[in-house]
């Protein structure tokens, strides 16, 4: 999907051609994910009736995808409600009873591990040995100290030194590495292990404060190919919503269903990919639509104004925006919002679920962290395609077993995630089995009897998992995307409002 034909008058004023005030504004919402559904619900609640939602896929929910596997509901996409205090998703789930069966282990203030606060993380090296708990704790203290420093540049206006390249990864790796190497009490073998743990934390694209042998994956920055691409000067802008983190036992898709339940089916068009958005409609486009209407009029879901007849319909003529769909239908609109991510970064984070008949891990283990000792001194980790598996940072144990059985969830991000998506299930199962055997030192670990994984990067309508503040971008880019159209300082375009009266001949 692309945005086409920006007006030469003002790219900040897409509505300069004017809005008819004697009728309801025509509004197009592109995408039926959580944001699109919530926006549509608010528009309808506030009296806007001429709203069309275009969803490219054959289902709603966007990056929410709950999959039923036996008695368990697994999340290929959104999994947690991050914070309760003032979080509208939490209140929606709580008010509708979605959290009644959330266990204590799935309700965590600190989210000590990804799926439960019980147990400990096992840090395993590629030599098949577990890193001692006290050594992990020493590294944790040092790493968290430097993590706090990364917050100060934005929060305290601290200037960024040139050596850091304004990169969270470069800064963190440099500062932690110097502190490790200058410690007079550590032997060389201990320093090597700490440097290896540093690589595991920074290179995966998740900056992870570590606490008492347990990993806390913060939501402030995620899914970059590596933390080297994340802006240091903007990193401290992101804060967590206070309160506990929650897992929804019945699946995050229940939130999607709640948002969609009051949206009329006639408002929503599935399997409707958008090809292009035309701003400040020109005569050239009017002619193209007029020609298109003769051949595609019968396929349109609302022939009155989606039939693309600008010459015959005075209400359509002069619409500032047209949304062109892949099926060649052109849909007029008065107001439209595009999530155009250019300066901001976006990458892919995928999950790999492995199901076993019996657990091979010990009862107290809540995750298996992979630490590559041979990568301790590397500056940047770039893997060839055949070594994509080296970007899998960990496998987490899903709790409680009464609900999930014996299940592990692995994480992989960046280009390596895309390479994983191109492999078949058998290859992924064999590769993950070899990894687990190698890092645990247990050659008898069986292959999982079932594999389930996400593929957000290769999904043509998703193409990524999260956005992040790339080096060279800032929070202002996010704010600019969130600004309503037309902009408040525009004097040429009217504001979006409900029509006071609607003439009978304008009712669609």
């Amino acid at each position: 999907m692309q945005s086409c034909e920006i007006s030469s008058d003002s790219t900040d004023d897409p509505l300069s051609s004017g809005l008819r005030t004697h009728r309801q504004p025509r509004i197009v919402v592109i995408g039926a994910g959580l944001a699109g559904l919530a926006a549509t619900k608010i528009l309808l609640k506030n009296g806007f009736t001429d709203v069309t939602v275009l969803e490219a896929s054959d289902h709603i929910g966007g990056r929410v995808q709950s999959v039923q596997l036996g008695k368990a509901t697994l999340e290929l996409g959104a999994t947690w409600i991050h914070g309760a205090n003032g979080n509208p998703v939490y209140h929606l789930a709580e008010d509708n009873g979605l959290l009644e069966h959330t266990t204590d282990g799935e309700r965590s203030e600190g989210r000590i591990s990804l799926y439960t606060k019980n147990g400990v993380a096992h840090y395993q090296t590629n030599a098949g040995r577990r890193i001692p708990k006290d050594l992990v704790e020493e590294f944790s203290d040092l790493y968290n100290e430097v993590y706090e420093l990364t917050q100060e540049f934005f929060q305290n206006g601290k200037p960024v030194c040139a050596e850091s390249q304004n990169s969270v990864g470069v800064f963190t790796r440099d500062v932690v590495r110097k502190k490790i190497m200058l410690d007079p009490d550590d032997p060389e073998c201990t320093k090597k292990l700490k440097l290896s743990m540093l690589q595991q934390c920074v290179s995966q694209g998740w900056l992870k404060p570590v606490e008492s042998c347990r990993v806390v994956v913060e939501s402030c920055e995620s899914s970059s190919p590596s933390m080297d691409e994340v802006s240091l000067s903007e990193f401290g802008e992101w804060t967590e919503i206070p309160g506990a983190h929650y897992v929804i036992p019945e699946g995050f898709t229940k939130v999607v269903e709640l948002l969609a339940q009051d949206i009329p089916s006639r408002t929503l068009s599935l399997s409707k990919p958008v090809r292009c958005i035309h701003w400040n409609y020109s005569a050239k486009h009017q002619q193209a639509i007029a020609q298109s209407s003769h051949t595609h009029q019968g396929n349109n879901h609302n022939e009155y104004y989606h039939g693309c007849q600008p010459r015959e319909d005075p209400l359509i003529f002069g619409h500032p925006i047209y949304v062109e769909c892949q099926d060649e239908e052109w849909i007029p609109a008065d107001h439209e919002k595009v999530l155009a991510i250019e300066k901001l970064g976006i990458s892919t984070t995928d999950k790999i679920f492995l199901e076993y008949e019996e657990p091979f891990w010990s009862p107290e283990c809540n995750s298996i962290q992979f630490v590559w000792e041979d990568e301790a001194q590397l500056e940047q980790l770039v893997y060839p395609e055949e070594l994509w598996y080296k970007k899998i940072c960990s496998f987490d144990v899903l709790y409680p077993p009464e609900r999930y059985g014996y299940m592990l969830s692995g994480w992989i991000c960046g280009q390596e995630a895309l390479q994983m998506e191109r492999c078949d299930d058998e290859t992924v199962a064999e590769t993950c089995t070899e990894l687990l055997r190698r890092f645990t030192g247990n050659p008898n670990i069986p292959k999982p009897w079932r594999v389930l994984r996400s593929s957000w990067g290769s999904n043509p309508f998703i193409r990524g998992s999260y956005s992040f503040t790339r080096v060279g971008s800032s929070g202002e880019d996010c704010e600019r995307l969130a600004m309503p159209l037309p902009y408040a300082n525009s004097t040429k375009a009217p504001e979006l409002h409900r029509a006071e009266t609607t003439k009978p001949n304008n009712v669609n």
Side-chain angles (χ1 to χ4, degrees):
M1 189 265 292
Q2 56 181 323
S3 180
C4 308
E5 296 296 325
I6 303 298
S7 167
S8 59
D9 295 335
S10 171
T11 57
D12 290 337
D13 186 15
L15 301 181
S16 58
S17 58
L19 172 65
R20 311 272 182 174
T21 58
H22 63 279
R23 60 166 174 80
Q24 280 276 340
R26 288 171 178 161
I27 304 170
V28 176
V29 177
I30 300 177
L34 291 180
L37 292 173
T40 303
K41 190 169 185 176
I42 291 174
L43 286 167
L44 295 174
K45 183 179 179 181
N46 283 275
F48 296 98
T49 59
D50 200 343
V51 181
T52 299
V53 185
L54 304 179
E55 169 55 45
S57 67
D58 60 0
H59 62 277
I60 62 175
R63 282 173 289 187
V64 175
Q65 189 174 356
S66 305
V67 177
Q68 198 68 31
L69 204 64
K71 295 186 296 183
T73 300
L74 302 180
E75 305 286 8
L76 292 179
T79 305
W80 297 276
I81 299 176
H82 293 304
N85 299 351
N87 187 333
V89 179
Y90 166 78
H91 293 297
L92 184 64
E94 176 69 12
D95 293 345
N96 289 275
L98 300 185
L99 304 178
E100 291 180 358
H101 300 291
T102 304
T103 66
D104 289 340
E106 296 168 319
R107 183 187 302 110
S108 171
E109 286 288 338
R111 204 156 54 92
I112 297 300
S113 82
L114 288 173
Y115 293 97
T116 178
K117 63 183 179 182
N118 301 318
V120 296
H122 288 199
Y123 281 77
Q124 303 285 149
T125 75
N126 57 305
R129 60 190 180 116
R130 182 179 174 185
I131 301 176
K133 180 179 178 180
D134 58 346
L135 196 155
V136 175
E137 290 176 338
E138 289 177 13
F139 172 76
S140 302
D141 293 339
L142 170 60
Y143 186 85
N144 291 342
E145 176 187 332
V146 177
Y147 174 81
E148 293 300 320
L149 295 179
T150 65
Q151 310 293 292
E152 294 183 359
F153 294 97
F154 179 87
Q155 294 175 356
N156 301 334
K158 183 178 177 180
V160 175
C161 61
E163 291 80 7
S164 72
Q165 304 172 41
N166 197 24
S167 162
V168 172
V170 172
F171 173 83
T172 302
R173 189 182 291 108
D174 182 58
V175 175
V176 175
R177 183 175 288 169
K178 287 178 179 177
K179 290 179 178 290
I180 290 173
M181 297 308 295
L182 292 175
D183 191 333
D185 298 326
D186 280 348
E188 289 301 313
C189 60
T190 298
K191 291 179 179 179
K192 181 179 179 181
L193 282 175
K194 290 182 178 179
L195 290 173
S196 300
M197 284 189 283
L198 171 64
Q199 294 285 51
Q200 193 252 4
C201 288
V202 175
S203 66
Q204 302 301 333
W206 300 77
L207 194 63
K208 302 179 287 189
V210 186
E211 180 180 342
S212 303
C213 302
R214 299 164 182 176
V215 176
V216 181
V217 178
E218 297 290 345
S219 59
C220 52
E221 289 288 355
S222 57
S223 198
S224 59
S226 84
M227 294 308 296
D228 292 348
E229 295 193 18
V230 178
S231 173
L232 178 61
S233 60
E234 303 298 319
F235 191 61
E237 181 178 17
W238 302 96
T239 57
E240 279 200 353
I241 297 175
H245 306 270
Y246 292 82
V247 173
I248 302 176
E250 293 182 84
F252 219 98
T253 190
K254 293 296 181 181
V255 174
V256 175
E257 294 172 4
L258 287 171
L259 287 174
Q261 65 183 8
D262 295 326
I263 298 177
S265 58
R266 58 179 169 78
T267 299
L268 182 62
S269 292
L270 299 178
S271 301
K272 197 75 171 175
V274 171
R275 175 185 295 161
C276 183
I277 300 167
H278 300 275
W279 296 77
N280 284 343
Y281 197 62
S282 68
K284 178 179 67 174
H285 293 137
Q286 293 174 17
Q287 183 179 3
I289 286 185
Q291 295 172 350
S292 175
S293 66
H294 295 303
T295 56
H296 299 283
Q297 190 171 8
N299 296 327
N300 297 327
H301 62 274
N302 187 332
E303 292 187 5
Y304 179 78
Y305 62 87
H306 294 166
C308 309
Q309 304 175 43
R311 296 180 185 273
E312 290 82 2
D313 188 346
L315 292 180
I316 295 178
F317 188 83
H319 271 287
I321 296 164
Y322 267 90
V323 179
E324 180 185 353
C325 300
Q326 284 188 9
D327 61 6
E328 300 189 24
E329 179 180 358
W330 291 53
I331 302 175
D334 296 303
H335 293 255
E336 181 269 352
K337 172 63 70 173
V338 181
L339 298 179
I341 302 175
E342 295 180 353
K343 292 175 66 178
L344 296 173
I346 187 168
S347 185
T348 300
T349 293
D350 280 322
K351 299 177 187 177
I352 306 172
F353 292 99
L354 307 178
E355 187 174 13
Y356 296 88
E357 294 186 20
E358 297 291 337
F360 62 81
W361 53 89
S362 57
E364 87 286 351
C365 175
N366 67 25
S367 71
I368 301 170
Q369 304 289 324
F370 295 156
V371 179
W372 294 88
E373 291 187 71
D374 54 346
E375 296 179 347
Q377 298 295 337
L378 298 181
E379 289 298 324
Q380 292 185 347
L381 301 182
V382 180
Y383 300 114
E385 289 186 358
E386 66 272 15
L387 298 182
W388 60 265
Y389 56 84
K390 298 192 79 173
K391 204 63 175 289
I392 299 177
C393 57
S394 63
F395 277 95
D396 300 286
V397 179
L398 273 65
Y399 282 93
E402 294 79 18
R403 178 184 299 148
Y404 295 105
Y406 305 112
M407 188 88 65
L408 298 179
S409 175
W411 297 80
I412 184 171
C413 65
Q415 288 297 315
E416 292 79 7
L418 296 178
Q419 184 61 31
M420 182 276 297
E421 293 180 14
R422 289 191 279 268
C423 298
D424 57 33
D425 284 353
E426 181 66 19
T427 300
V428 172
E430 291 178 353
T431 302
C432 292
T433 300
E434 289 303 314
L435 267 180
L436 289 165
R437 289 173 179 173
R438 179 175 184 176
F439 278 83
T440 62
N442 179 2
N444 298 317
I445 291 177
K447 284 176 59 177
W449 68 282
R450 185 152 47 185
V451 174
L452 181 68
R453 56 205 170 106
S454 60
S455 55
W456 298 115
S458 56
N459 185 317
F461 305 132
I462 303 292
R463 299 189 182 183
S465 300
Y466 307 91
S467 60
F468 64 95
T469 311
R470 192 197 302 271
V471 174
S473 63
S474 70
E476 292 181 358
D477 296 312
C478 298
E479 294 170 1
R480 192 171 296 111
L481 288 173
M483 291 179 69
L485 298 176
Y487 295 143
N489 59 0
S490 172
T491 57
K492 294 188 290 181
E495 295 181 0
L496 179 64
H497 66 284
R498 286 175 297 172
E500 294 294 332
T501 60
T502 303
K503 296 182 180 180
N505 63 341
N506 291 332
V507 178
N508 298 319

